[in-house]
Amino acid sequence: MHLNILKAKIHRATVTHAELHYEGSIAIDSLLLEASGIREYEQIHAWNINNGKRFVTYALKAEAGSGIISVNGSAAHRASPGDLIIIAAFAQMTEAELETFQPSLVYVDADNVINRTSNAIPTQQADR
């Protein structure tokens, strides 16, 4: 059996462009792609924190160090410049592969500059 597991995530990236008439995808600063392990043309899921809209598209490289997060094509109806989004990629893995697997998690600031990376999401604690 194969399970769909979170492979990589870019957390709370700020949308810099929404280009309706550009060929579809999300163009992502290539430094963020590199740090997260998301590959160009890989399918990604995007979740808009501001409006709750979700969409699936693919990643394209944007200029390294540019901070660009450009939501393109029909997906531009789901995000506007200034919106915060989470970009995630998934991989199919066997139970055996999961024994040693850790996701790549990239956290960025308001300018889409990496401020930290991690391989685990902290366990959510109940309010007491």
Side-chain angles (χ1 to χ4, degrees):
M1 174 177 18
H2 285 87
L3 303 169
N4 287 324
I5 301 299
L6 178 67
K7 172 191 155 193
K9 166 175 95 160
I10 302 169
H11 193 72
R12 296 179 66 91
T14 302
V15 174
T16 59
H17 302 78
E19 303 286 345
L20 183 62
H21 299 291
Y22 188 82
E23 189 170 346
S25 67
I26 295 181
I28 301 168
D29 181 323
S30 62
L31 294 179
L32 299 179
L33 291 178
E34 221 173 274
S36 67
I38 296 172
R39 303 197 45 161
E40 187 169 34
Y41 305 116
E42 183 172 1
Q43 182 184 77
I44 54 102
H45 295 247
W47 306 308
N48 190 319
I49 295 168
N50 293 72
N51 64 26
K53 293 179 180 177
R54 296 169 171 245
F55 53 98
V56 177
T57 188
Y58 59 95
L60 281 180
K61 286 183 183 178
E63 181 182 356
S66 65
I68 289 174
I69 302 290
S70 184
V71 180
N72 300 319
S74 64
H77 289 290
R78 302 211 170 261
S80 299
D83 285 355
L84 295 177
I85 62 173
I86 298 168
I87 300 167
F90 295 85
Q92 291 191 348
M93 295 182 197
T94 64
E95 293 280 352
E97 290 171 315
L98 286 173
E99 295 296 321
T100 57
F101 175 76
Q102 294 182 313
S104 297
L105 311 172
V106 175
Y107 298 86
V108 297
D109 65 15
D111 296 316
N112 296 325
V113 174
I114 298 169
N115 59 23
R116 72 182 174 96
T117 61
S118 181
N119 295 110
I121 297 171
T123 301
Q124 187 168 346
Q125 302 292 315
D127 291 334
R128 301 199 191 253

